[in-house]
Amino acid sequence: MPPKDLLIDKSALIHGVSKYLERKIIYGNILIHKRLLSEIEKDAREGLVTAEIALDEIKRLRDVSESLLVSFEIVGDLSSRQDTNDELREYCLKRGCTIVTADEIQKQIAENLGIDVFYLSPLENALEIESYFDENTMSVHLKEGTTPKAKRGKPGYWQFVELSSEITSGYQIKKLVSEILASVKYVKDSFIEIERKGSTIVQLGNYRVVITHPPLSDGWEVTITRPVTRKKLEDYNLHEKLMNRLKEHAEGILIAGSPGMGKTTFAQALAEFYNRMGKVVKTIESPRDMHLPPEITQYSKNYAEVGELHDILLLSRPDYTVYDEMRNDEDFKLYIDLRLAGIGMIGVVHATSPIDAIHRFINRVDIGTIPNILDTVIFIHAGNVAKVYSLDMTVKVPTGLREADLARPVVEVKDLIEDKVEYEIYVFGEQTMLVPVGKIAGNKQNAMQNKLERVILNVIPNASVTYENGEYVITIPKEEIGKFNKKLVSKLKRYEKKHGIRIRVKFDTS
């Protein structure tokens, strides 16, 4: 009986069909349609990694077919303008060949048309990328021409270690990439999240894989990350004030921190916390790499059209939406629009300090709306909550200014735990100012305290001046009470009026 004619589609090429031929799981003459070659060429010129893998697989198919003494042919023509998969199915209907595919939809349609199909089931082999990981490995970094390396430890406490002294070749990385792309079809919760010219991002179960290649990078590179810790919110031992705020008041939350410090892990714990409270929680991710219970719907920004997520979230009315990895104007605009519409928002941003995270919003919105958009900023360092800010609006003379007619709306950024204002945001002229208050207030208090000491000690040498609870306290010893005269009282009242301060005189009668 002559060997079957096997027409290979693109999904089979990406899946690594040559392995099935080598093991004689399939056997027959290999056919590649010109329409498929044309599509792969177009994608390869656009720099898509799947096209380059497909081209390499065609070359391997030719080599394997020669060793197995079966024919390898390029068939069909380019005259038709129909879809590539339609062209392949039509060819098989006319010629009576078998379509080889790893695409479930292709399989179903071909069977419905009466076409013979061979569906590539997964080979029972462990993923090669798993061999690079142990229980403490956060990420693996592979690049052609270098040794494989990994980050091991926990967020904020990790070491960059060499996994092998052997140099990784471009062929080895391409082989690994081919396995990753082939595994997407059968590993649960896996998908190609983004494919652009020179880069591809894949979610493969728990692994997030970032693939880059020329011309974007100077060589083939694969970075594989995996969550090493999964915490509940209770595991963070949060201060009672913060827990109460998260339960009762916080609706515009910003989670900030440097890369790898545990921001997404905390956001994930917070999402699960609100889910347990009976809240409707959804996420926007790019890529989707949070591991959450099925009750929480995870949306991909990469697969949504402009405005689509906005409409979906407004109509589905979640109590909280977690926006992971906010980077560009479009991300911040969506966060702001949804928050002003009354949806509780939890945003995750890269920042080296908590005030830098707030700064991202200053030039994007009117200053008066900032407290309505942001009310709680949580800064994560080394996997723990290092700082918490609350934002409130008031009308006052900004710290450091004196004249009463300079009073204006001021956003106070307070340390939530200490209940102490650390920054003020206000408009001065046409410029929005973000001013550290503690330093200014401290310098001002010291200067005023020195002035009062000079005035008092000239008359009452043993008196003392201190700053307590927002007022300057002058303590006069019992033996010098008689020196506190009317002239000194008048001078102190003038200081109060001129500098807008409070002065209290205390007599030490002990």
Side-chain angles (χ1 to χ4, degrees):
M1 185 177 180
K4 287 184 177 182
D5 289 336
L6 305 176
L7 186 68
I8 312 298
D9 77 353
K10 188 177 180 180
S11 69
L13 292 173
I14 294 170
H15 195 76
V17 65
S18 62
K19 296 193 293 287
Y20 295 78
L21 191 61
E22 284 175 324
R23 301 181 189 188
K24 297 186 180 179
I25 297 171
I26 61 172
Y27 183 77
N29 300 316
I30 303 300
L31 309 180
I32 303 293
H33 201 286
K34 287 181 180 177
R35 172 67 65 188
L36 177 59
L37 268 181
S38 176
E39 180 185 309
I40 293 171
E41 179 189 6
K42 177 177 174 292
D43 289 347
R45 293 190 185 281
E46 290 178 359
L48 300 187
V49 68
T50 50
E52 188 157 347
I53 295 299
L55 284 174
D56 288 345
E57 185 63 16
I58 291 172
K59 183 179 182 303
R60 278 194 290 273
L61 275 175
R62 183 185 289 276
D63 296 339
V64 174
S65 62
E66 286 180 4
S67 67
L68 294 177
L69 302 178
V70 294
S71 67
F72 178 95
E73 295 182 61
I74 305 297
V75 298
D77 57 56
L78 298 173
S79 59
S80 173
R81 293 187 177 181
Q82 61 184 340
D83 177 77
T84 300
N85 283 326
D86 288 338
E87 186 79 17
L88 267 59
R89 290 191 291 265
E90 186 174 310
Y91 183 88
C92 277
L93 280 170
K94 289 178 180 177
R95 305 298 172 93
C97 57
T98 300
I99 281 187
V100 180
T101 184
D103 184 344
E104 181 66 34
I105 295 174
Q106 174 85 296
K107 171 180 176 286
Q108 291 179 15
I109 293 175
E111 286 175 343
N112 289 335
L113 292 171
I115 300 169
D116 189 26
V117 179
F118 189 94
Y119 182 71
L120 299 178
S121 299
L123 298 173
E124 297 299 324
N125 284 333
L127 293 172
E128 185 183 339
I129 62 174
E130 293 181 336
S131 65
Y132 292 106
F133 284 83
D134 63 16
E135 65 275 9
N136 295 317
T137 304
M138 297 171 59
S139 60
V140 171
H141 305 260
L142 308 173
K143 185 181 179 184
E144 64 172 306
T146 67
T147 55
K149 298 177 180 66
K151 283 184 181 179
R152 284 183 172 158
K154 294 181 179 179
Y157 302 99
W158 50 264
Q159 289 183 319
F160 201 47
V161 298
E162 189 175 74
L163 298 177
S164 168
S165 58
E166 185 179 336
I167 298 294
T168 307
S169 67
Y171 170 76
Q172 287 173 305
I173 290 189
K174 283 187 182 182
K175 185 181 175 185
L176 183 68
V177 170
S178 179
E179 182 196 73
I180 290 166
L181 295 177
S183 303
V184 167
K185 292 288 183 183
Y186 62 85
V187 175
K188 188 181 177 183
D189 298 326
S190 300
F191 42 84
I192 297 176
E193 183 78 45
I194 304 170
E195 186 170 21
R196 302 189 186 102
K197 183 176 182 178
S199 69
T200 303
I201 298 176
V202 178
Q203 189 66 39
L204 191 64
N206 284 340
Y207 300 99
R208 182 172 66 185
V209 185
V210 180
I211 304 161
T212 63
H213 62 95
L216 176 64
S217 59
D218 60 350
W220 278 81
E221 183 179 31
V222 176
T223 304
I224 310 160
T225 59
R226 183 193 66 177
V228 291
T229 57
R230 182 167 182 173
K231 292 183 175 181
K232 290 185 176 181
L233 197 66
E234 292 77 9
D235 297 333
Y236 285 90
N237 297 317
L238 301 180
H239 194 281
E240 184 181 357
K241 283 187 178 180
L242 178 55
M243 284 299 294
N244 290 337
R245 189 172 186 86
L246 293 174
K247 288 177 183 176
E248 300 169 10
H249 304 295
E251 291 188 325
I253 303 169
L254 206 57
I255 301 170
S258 300
M261 287 295 164
K263 301 183 300 299
T264 300
T265 302
F266 184 82
Q268 184 174 285
L270 193 55
E272 291 179 331
F273 171 74
Y274 283 127
N275 181 60
R276 293 196 303 273
M277 285 179 64
K279 306 288 186 182
V280 177
V281 182
K282 300 181 185 294
T283 73
I284 304 172
E285 301 171 60
S286 173
R288 287 169 292 187
D289 63 346
M290 286 188 178
H291 301 283
L292 296 165
E295 292 85 2
I296 299 176
T297 302
Q298 296 173 257
Y299 296 117
S300 170
K301 193 186 75 170
N302 301 307
Y303 285 96
E305 295 180 5
V306 177
E308 185 177 3
L309 287 174
H310 185 278
D311 295 339
I312 289 171
L313 289 165
L314 283 179
L315 293 171
S316 60
R317 299 179 182 177
D319 296 305
Y320 284 92
T321 298
V322 181
Y323 204 138
D324 192 26
E325 301 289 349
M326 292 165 54
R327 301 185 188 94
N328 54 36
D329 286 339
E330 184 183 314
D331 296 337
F332 283 92
K333 184 178 184 300
L334 182 56
Y335 180 99
I336 291 164
D337 286 348
L338 293 173
R339 179 68 203 100
L340 291 176
I343 295 173
M345 296 298 295
I346 303 166
V348 179
V349 296
H350 291 300
T352 54
S353 70
I355 202 65
D356 288 342
I358 299 171
H359 211 281
R360 301 278 192 93
F361 285 84
I362 288 177
N363 294 323
R364 288 184 162 100
V365 294
D366 181 74
I367 185 175
T369 62
I370 289 179
N372 297 327
I373 297 165
L374 297 179
D375 54 44
T376 309
V377 178
I378 300 171
F379 187 71
I380 305 295
H381 180 73
N384 294 304
V385 175
K387 193 80 170 178
V388 185
Y389 280 145
S390 63
L391 285 79
D392 297 292
M393 174 69 79
T394 186
V395 176
K396 56 176 281 192
V397 177
T399 303
L401 305 182
R402 293 181 181 177
E403 287 78 3
D405 58 357
L406 291 177
R408 64 199 62 225
V410 175
V411 176
E412 292 184 330
V413 181
K414 288 184 179 180
D415 182 307
L416 179 69
I417 310 304
E418 301 293 333
D419 194 27
K420 179 182 176 183
V421 178
E422 293 196 3
Y423 292 89
E424 289 180 349
I425 306 170
Y426 56 89
V427 176
F428 191 82
E430 296 182 358
Q431 187 174 0
T432 301
M433 311 294 291
L434 195 158
V435 182
V437 170
K439 188 174 180 181
I440 290 176
N443 292 340
K444 183 179 177 182
Q445 290 163 16
N446 291 336
M448 182 55 62
Q449 189 171 330
N450 290 336
K451 284 182 180 180
L452 289 174
E453 283 177 348
R454 286 196 295 270
V455 170
I456 297 296
L457 297 181
N458 282 338
V459 180
I460 310 172
N462 294 319
S464 64
V465 180
T466 57
Y467 184 80
E468 300 174 13
N469 300 321
E471 61 184 7
Y472 293 91
V473 179
I474 300 171
T475 304
I476 300 174
K478 180 179 180 181
E479 62 274 11
E480 294 187 336
I481 290 176
K483 296 179 182 178
F484 185 66
N485 55 39
K486 197 172 184 180
K487 183 179 179 182
L488 189 56
V489 170
S490 299
K491 187 174 281 192
L492 293 177
K493 285 184 176 179
R494 287 200 301 272
Y495 263 83
E496 280 187 315
K497 187 175 181 180
K498 181 179 179 181
H499 300 287
I501 60 174
R502 292 176 59 189
I503 299 174
R504 180 164 61 92
V505 178
K506 184 170 75 172
F507 298 105
D508 184 4
T509 56
S510 57

